[in-house]
Amino acid sequence: MNFLSQTIANKPDPNWSQVQVIPIIESQDPLVPLGLVNSPLRSYPAYFHQGVPGALNECYVRRSVLFRLYKAARLLPTGIELVVLDGWRPLPVQQYLYDTLHTVMTTHDTQQNETELLAHLRQFVSPPSDNPAAPSPHLTGGSVDVALCDVEGLLLDMGTEFDDISFWSASAAFETITKPNARESEVIENRRLLHSVMLQAGFSNLPSEWWHFDYGNQAWAWATQQSQAQFGVAERLTLAQRWLKSVTSEV
Protein backbone atom coordinates (compact mmCIF):
# COMPACT_ATOMS: atom_id res chain seq x y z
CA MET A 1 0.00 0.00 0.00
CA ASN A 2 1.47 3.38 -0.98
CA PHE A 3 0.58 6.74 0.54
CA LEU A 4 -2.13 7.28 -2.09
CA SER A 5 -4.16 4.36 -0.72
CA GLN A 6 -3.98 5.01 3.00
CA THR A 7 -7.16 4.50 5.01
CA ILE A 8 -8.78 7.79 6.05
CA ALA A 9 -8.92 7.89 9.83
CA ASN A 10 -12.20 8.77 11.53
CA LYS A 11 -11.26 11.98 13.34
CA PRO A 12 -13.38 14.17 15.64
CA ASP A 13 -14.71 17.55 14.59
CA PRO A 14 -12.57 20.54 15.59
CA ASN A 15 -12.99 21.95 19.08
CA TRP A 16 -14.00 25.40 17.88
CA SER A 17 -13.61 27.02 21.29
CA GLN A 18 -9.95 26.00 21.13
CA VAL A 19 -9.60 26.88 17.45
CA GLN A 20 -10.81 30.45 17.94
CA VAL A 21 -8.27 31.37 20.61
CA ILE A 22 -5.21 30.35 18.59
CA PRO A 23 -3.21 33.54 17.98
CA ILE A 24 -2.93 34.81 14.41
CA ILE A 25 0.36 36.32 13.24
CA GLU A 26 -0.64 37.62 9.83
CA SER A 27 1.85 36.72 7.11
CA GLN A 28 0.56 39.31 4.61
CA ASP A 29 0.47 36.55 2.00
CA PRO A 30 -1.73 38.02 -0.78
CA LEU A 31 -4.83 36.57 -2.37
CA VAL A 32 -4.25 35.35 -5.92
CA PRO A 33 -6.76 34.32 -8.60
CA LEU A 34 -6.79 30.83 -10.04
CA GLY A 35 -8.25 31.79 -13.41
CA LEU A 36 -4.81 32.16 -15.00
CA VAL A 37 -3.50 28.92 -13.53
CA ASN A 38 -2.68 26.19 -16.02
CA SER A 39 -2.81 22.40 -15.72
CA PRO A 40 -2.59 20.38 -13.48
CA LEU A 41 -4.99 22.65 -11.56
CA ARG A 42 -8.54 23.43 -12.60
CA SER A 43 -10.78 26.12 -11.17
CA TYR A 44 -14.58 25.99 -11.15
CA PRO A 45 -16.23 28.57 -8.82
CA ALA A 46 -19.18 26.42 -7.81
CA TYR A 47 -21.20 29.01 -5.88
CA PHE A 48 -21.05 31.48 -8.76
CA HIS A 49 -22.38 28.84 -11.15
CA GLN A 50 -25.10 27.94 -8.63
CA GLY A 51 -26.24 31.55 -8.52
CA VAL A 52 -25.38 32.22 -4.87
CA PRO A 53 -25.80 36.00 -4.30
CA GLY A 54 -22.46 37.79 -4.15
CA ALA A 55 -20.45 34.73 -5.18
CA LEU A 56 -17.38 35.54 -7.26
CA ASN A 57 -16.78 34.26 -10.78
CA GLU A 58 -13.19 33.49 -9.77
CA CYS A 59 -11.56 31.38 -7.05
CA TYR A 60 -9.03 33.18 -4.86
CA VAL A 61 -6.57 31.69 -2.37
CA ARG A 62 -3.46 32.86 -0.55
CA ARG A 63 -0.33 32.59 -2.66
CA SER A 64 1.24 29.91 -0.46
CA VAL A 65 -2.02 27.93 -0.64
CA LEU A 66 -1.72 27.99 -4.44
CA PHE A 67 1.80 26.56 -4.24
CA ARG A 68 0.51 23.72 -2.08
CA LEU A 69 -2.36 23.07 -4.45
CA TYR A 70 0.22 22.75 -7.22
CA LYS A 71 2.13 20.23 -5.11
CA ALA A 72 -1.01 18.17 -4.45
CA ALA A 73 -1.99 18.25 -8.13
CA ARG A 74 1.45 17.04 -9.22
CA LEU A 75 1.22 14.07 -6.86
CA LEU A 76 -1.86 12.78 -8.66
CA PRO A 77 -1.56 9.90 -11.13
CA THR A 78 -1.57 10.72 -14.85
CA GLY A 79 -5.12 11.27 -16.05
CA ILE A 80 -6.48 12.72 -12.80
CA GLU A 81 -6.57 16.43 -12.02
CA LEU A 82 -7.38 18.60 -9.02
CA VAL A 83 -10.41 20.92 -9.21
CA VAL A 84 -10.79 23.93 -6.90
CA LEU A 85 -14.49 24.61 -6.28
CA ASP A 86 -14.18 27.41 -3.74
CA GLY A 87 -11.58 29.37 -1.84
CA TRP A 88 -11.77 32.82 -0.25
CA ARG A 89 -15.32 34.06 0.38
CA PRO A 90 -16.65 37.56 1.03
CA LEU A 91 -18.54 37.84 4.32
CA PRO A 92 -21.98 38.27 2.62
CA VAL A 93 -21.53 34.91 0.86
CA GLN A 94 -20.66 33.22 4.15
CA GLN A 95 -23.73 34.84 5.72
CA TYR A 96 -25.97 33.65 2.89
CA LEU A 97 -24.72 30.05 3.12
CA TYR A 98 -25.12 30.00 6.89
CA ASP A 99 -28.59 31.53 6.88
CA THR A 100 -29.82 29.29 4.07
CA LEU A 101 -28.64 26.08 5.72
CA HIS A 102 -29.97 27.24 9.10
CA THR A 103 -33.39 27.77 7.53
CA VAL A 104 -33.33 24.34 5.88
CA MET A 105 -32.31 22.60 9.09
CA THR A 106 -34.76 24.53 11.26
CA THR A 107 -37.61 23.67 8.90
CA HIS A 108 -36.86 20.02 8.30
CA ASP A 109 -34.73 18.79 11.23
CA THR A 110 -37.26 19.22 14.03
CA GLN A 111 -35.83 16.41 16.20
CA GLN A 112 -32.84 18.50 17.34
CA ASN A 113 -32.85 21.25 19.92
CA GLU A 114 -31.20 24.57 19.07
CA THR A 115 -27.82 23.61 20.53
CA GLU A 116 -27.74 20.34 18.61
CA LEU A 117 -28.91 22.05 15.44
CA LEU A 118 -26.18 24.72 15.61
CA ALA A 119 -23.53 22.07 16.22
CA HIS A 120 -24.78 20.10 13.21
CA LEU A 121 -24.90 23.27 11.11
CA ARG A 122 -21.32 24.13 12.03
CA GLN A 123 -20.13 20.81 10.63
CA PHE A 124 -20.89 22.19 7.17
CA VAL A 125 -20.95 26.01 7.35
CA SER A 126 -19.06 28.12 9.87
CA PRO A 127 -20.86 31.06 11.50
CA PRO A 128 -20.07 34.24 9.55
CA SER A 129 -17.30 36.18 11.26
CA ASP A 130 -14.83 38.83 10.17
CA ASN A 131 -13.55 39.16 13.74
CA PRO A 132 -9.77 39.64 13.32
CA ALA A 133 -9.16 37.27 16.24
CA ALA A 134 -11.53 34.52 15.08
CA PRO A 135 -12.55 34.75 11.40
CA SER A 136 -14.57 32.20 9.48
CA PRO A 137 -12.04 29.85 7.84
CA HIS A 138 -13.01 30.66 4.24
CA LEU A 139 -12.66 34.40 4.92
CA THR A 140 -8.93 33.88 5.48
CA GLY A 141 -8.10 32.60 2.01
CA GLY A 142 -6.64 29.51 3.65
CA SER A 143 -9.60 27.20 3.12
CA VAL A 144 -10.24 25.41 -0.16
CA ASP A 145 -12.97 23.10 -1.38
CA VAL A 146 -11.60 20.63 -3.92
CA ALA A 147 -12.49 17.54 -5.91
CA LEU A 148 -10.96 15.33 -8.60
CA CYS A 149 -11.71 15.09 -12.30
CA ASP A 150 -10.41 13.25 -15.35
CA VAL A 151 -8.54 14.91 -18.22
CA GLU A 152 -11.86 15.67 -19.93
CA GLY A 153 -13.03 17.65 -16.91
CA LEU A 154 -15.58 15.09 -15.70
CA LEU A 155 -15.71 14.93 -11.91
CA LEU A 156 -14.80 11.61 -10.35
CA ASP A 157 -17.30 9.87 -8.08
CA MET A 158 -16.56 11.05 -4.54
CA GLY A 159 -19.62 9.44 -2.99
CA THR A 160 -21.63 12.65 -2.60
CA GLU A 161 -21.84 15.96 -4.36
CA PHE A 162 -19.87 18.94 -3.09
CA ASP A 163 -21.75 20.57 -0.17
CA ASP A 164 -23.91 17.54 0.55
CA ILE A 165 -24.88 17.57 4.25
CA SER A 166 -25.52 13.88 4.82
CA PHE A 167 -23.55 11.39 6.92
CA TRP A 168 -21.81 10.24 3.74
CA SER A 169 -20.07 13.60 3.32
CA ALA A 170 -17.73 12.83 6.21
CA SER A 171 -14.27 12.13 4.84
CA ALA A 172 -14.07 8.67 6.43
CA ALA A 173 -17.73 7.69 5.97
CA PHE A 174 -17.15 5.08 3.26
CA GLU A 175 -14.35 3.54 5.29
CA THR A 176 -17.07 2.12 7.56
CA ILE A 177 -18.36 -0.19 4.80
CA THR A 178 -17.00 -3.68 5.50
CA LYS A 179 -17.84 -5.18 2.10
CA PRO A 180 -17.94 -2.35 -0.43
CA ASN A 181 -19.42 -2.97 -3.86
CA ALA A 182 -17.68 -1.84 -7.04
CA ARG A 183 -19.00 1.70 -6.89
CA GLU A 184 -18.25 2.08 -3.19
CA SER A 185 -14.74 0.75 -3.72
CA GLU A 186 -14.20 3.40 -6.40
CA VAL A 187 -15.42 6.12 -4.05
CA ILE A 188 -13.11 4.89 -1.29
CA GLU A 189 -10.09 5.02 -3.58
CA ASN A 190 -11.03 8.46 -4.95
CA ARG A 191 -11.40 9.90 -1.46
CA ARG A 192 -8.17 8.32 -0.27
CA LEU A 193 -6.36 9.75 -3.27
CA LEU A 194 -7.66 13.28 -2.70
CA HIS A 195 -7.10 13.11 1.05
CA SER A 196 -3.57 11.74 0.69
CA VAL A 197 -2.25 14.25 -1.83
CA MET A 198 -3.73 17.20 0.05
CA LEU A 199 -2.22 16.11 3.35
CA GLN A 200 1.09 15.42 1.63
CA ALA A 201 0.99 19.01 0.36
CA GLY A 202 0.58 20.37 3.90
CA PHE A 203 -3.17 20.81 4.23
CA SER A 204 -5.43 19.58 7.02
CA ASN A 205 -8.91 18.17 6.38
CA LEU A 206 -12.24 19.04 8.00
CA PRO A 207 -13.51 15.57 9.02
CA SER A 208 -17.16 16.33 8.23
CA GLU A 209 -16.44 17.32 4.62
CA TRP A 210 -14.34 15.24 2.23
CA TRP A 211 -13.83 18.33 0.02
CA HIS A 212 -12.70 20.90 2.63
CA PHE A 213 -9.01 21.47 3.38
CA ASP A 214 -7.16 24.19 5.28
CA TYR A 215 -3.72 25.71 5.34
CA GLY A 216 -2.39 28.61 7.40
CA ASN A 217 -5.60 29.51 9.25
CA GLN A 218 -6.72 28.68 12.79
CA ALA A 219 -8.45 25.45 11.73
CA TRP A 220 -5.19 24.24 10.19
CA ALA A 221 -3.18 25.34 13.23
CA TRP A 222 -5.50 23.37 15.54
CA ALA A 223 -5.49 20.25 13.38
CA THR A 224 -1.71 20.25 12.97
CA GLN A 225 -0.95 21.39 16.54
CA GLN A 226 0.73 24.64 15.54
CA SER A 227 1.13 27.35 18.17
CA GLN A 228 -0.16 30.08 15.87
CA ALA A 229 -1.98 30.67 12.61
CA GLN A 230 -0.60 32.61 9.64
CA PHE A 231 -3.81 33.93 8.06
CA GLY A 232 -6.43 36.25 9.46
CA VAL A 233 -9.20 37.94 7.49
CA ALA A 234 -8.16 38.47 3.88
CA GLU A 235 -9.41 41.32 1.75
CA ARG A 236 -9.79 41.66 -1.98
CA LEU A 237 -9.74 45.39 -2.59
CA THR A 238 -11.96 46.98 -5.21
CA LEU A 239 -10.40 49.22 -7.84
CA ALA A 240 -11.55 52.32 -5.94
CA GLN A 241 -10.07 50.98 -2.71
CA ARG A 242 -6.75 50.24 -4.41
CA TRP A 243 -6.65 53.73 -5.93
CA LEU A 244 -7.49 55.29 -2.57
CA LYS A 245 -4.78 53.26 -0.87
CA SER A 246 -2.30 54.37 -3.51
CA VAL A 247 -3.29 58.03 -3.20
CA THR A 248 -3.26 58.11 0.59
CA SER A 249 0.13 56.38 0.74
CA GLU A 250 1.62 59.23 -1.32
CA VAL A 251 0.33 61.94 0.98
Side-chain angles (χ1 to χ4, degrees):
M1 179 183 293
N2 60 39
F3 78 88
L4 298 178
S5 298
Q6 295 294 324
T7 300
I8 300 174
N10 185 18
K11 294 186 176 181
D13 293 326
N15 183 324
W16 292 107
S17 63
Q18 294 178 4
V19 170
Q20 292 178 324
V21 297
I22 295 174
I24 301 170
I25 308 300
E26 176 58 57
S27 68
Q28 303 300 326
D29 199 11
L31 289 172
V32 294
L34 301 187
L36 296 177
V37 172
N38 294 319
S39 182
L41 262 185
R42 292 182 183 244
S43 175
Y44 183 83
Y47 291 130
F48 174 79
H49 292 290
Q50 292 170 9
V52 170
L56 304 175
N57 64 351
E58 176 73 278
C59 290
Y60 290 84
V61 298
R62 298 279 190 144
R63 186 187 297 272
S64 56
V65 172
L66 174 58
F67 293 154
R68 282 162 176 77
L69 289 170
Y70 269 135
K71 180 176 179 178
R74 287 168 178 151
L75 288 170
L76 291 168
T78 301
I80 299 179
E81 299 181 3
L82 189 65
V83 185
V84 179
L85 301 170
D86 191 35
W88 174 78
R89 292 176 193 159
L91 183 62
V93 174
Q94 189 71 26
Q95 186 74 57
Y96 174 87
L97 296 175
Y98 188 85
D99 291 347
T100 301
L101 185 54
H102 186 276
T103 298
V104 169
M105 287 186 168
T106 302
T107 303
H108 298 285
D109 197 353
T110 57
Q111 302 302 311
Q112 298 187 84
N113 60 40
E114 184 66 11
T115 300
E116 292 170 334
L117 185 145
L118 292 178
H120 187 194
L121 171 58
R122 186 154 200 168
Q123 288 183 311
F124 299 102
V125 182
S126 293
S129 172
D130 58 358
N131 179 351
S136 304
H138 272 281
L139 268 67
T140 68
S143 294
V144 288
D145 296 327
V146 293
L148 299 175
C149 72
D150 64 20
V151 292
E152 304 298 333
L154 295 175
L155 292 174
L156 301 190
D157 188 353
M158 306 300 294
T160 73
E161 293 187 21
F162 162 60
D163 256 2
D164 181 86
I165 58 171
S166 71
F167 162 83
W168 296 106
S169 288
S171 300
F174 280 77
E175 301 284 353
T176 65
I177 302 174
T178 55
K179 294 183 179 180
N181 59 31
R183 185 257 173 169
E184 291 164 344
S185 295
E186 180 182 354
V187 169
I188 290 169
E189 287 305 308
N190 288 340
R191 287 198 183 188
R192 288 179 178 181
L193 177 59
L194 177 63
H195 192 266
S196 294
V197 299
M198 292 296 286
L199 265 59
Q200 284 284 320
F203 292 93
S204 62
N205 173 240
L206 181 64
S208 56
E209 297 180 343
W210 59 259
W211 56 84
H212 180 108
F213 294 85
D214 293 288
Y215 176 78
N217 56 23
Q218 289 173 309
W220 165 84
W222 183 86
T224 58
Q225 300 183 327
Q226 304 295 313
S227 62
Q228 63 190 40
Q230 303 171 18
F231 303 153
V233 176
E235 288 187 278
R236 176 175 169 264
L237 300 181
T238 65
L239 179 60
Q241 289 170 325
R242 288 195 288 114
W243 278 345
L244 178 61
K245 183 177 180 181
S246 178
V247 169
T248 54
S249 66
E250 294 177 357
V251 176

